Amino acid sequence: MNTKNSQLIATTHNREILDNRDIYRNDAIWFTDKNEESATELYSLSDFDSSVIRNTSNVYNAYKIGKLGGVPNTGDFYINLTDEE
């Protein structure tokens, strides 16, 4: 019993979990985006109306094509690991 009304929040970068809608409800899936002021905006999958995401939609594919926002911008980073003296 949750007598303190506490919540458990877990985060992952494993976007493949979006491919199985039987595990999580729409209000349990959240995305973040950084706005122009570099502040983080947080929103739920349940915030989208049926014109964007339907019950039969593949959430993983919608996320990959950028329909839901929250797409990471990893770019192409190069780290030089040689030891220069």
Side-chain angles (χ1 to χ4, degrees):
M1 179 176 250
N2 187 0
T3 59
K4 304 264 188 204
N5 294 325
S6 58
Q7 292 180 326
L8 175 65
I9 298 175
T11 182
T12 182
H13 292 278
N14 183 359
R15 62 186 183 180
E16 283 74 19
I17 65 168
L18 297 173
D19 209 14
N20 189 344
R21 294 196 70 177
D22 296 333
I23 297 175
Y24 302 102
R25 299 184 326 237
N26 287 355
D27 63 343
I29 299 172
W30 290 79
F31 303 95
T32 60
D33 264 329
K34 189 180 286 190
N35 65 20
E36 293 81 24
E37 292 84 33
S38 294
T40 301
E41 296 178 350
L42 180 69
Y43 53 94
S44 171
L45 181 60
S46 64
D47 292 340
F48 293 94
D49 64 24
S50 61
S51 67
V52 177
I53 195 84
R54 296 187 176 97
N55 288 338
T56 58
S57 297
N58 185 312
V59 177
Y60 176 64
N61 287 339
Y63 174 76
K64 281 194 328 184
I65 64 172
K67 207 173 188 182
L68 305 175
V71 179
N73 182 9
T74 57
D76 187 19
F77 296 100
Y78 173 76
I79 300 173
N80 187 356
L81 296 177
T82 60
D83 198 17
E84 294 181 19
E85 293 183 35

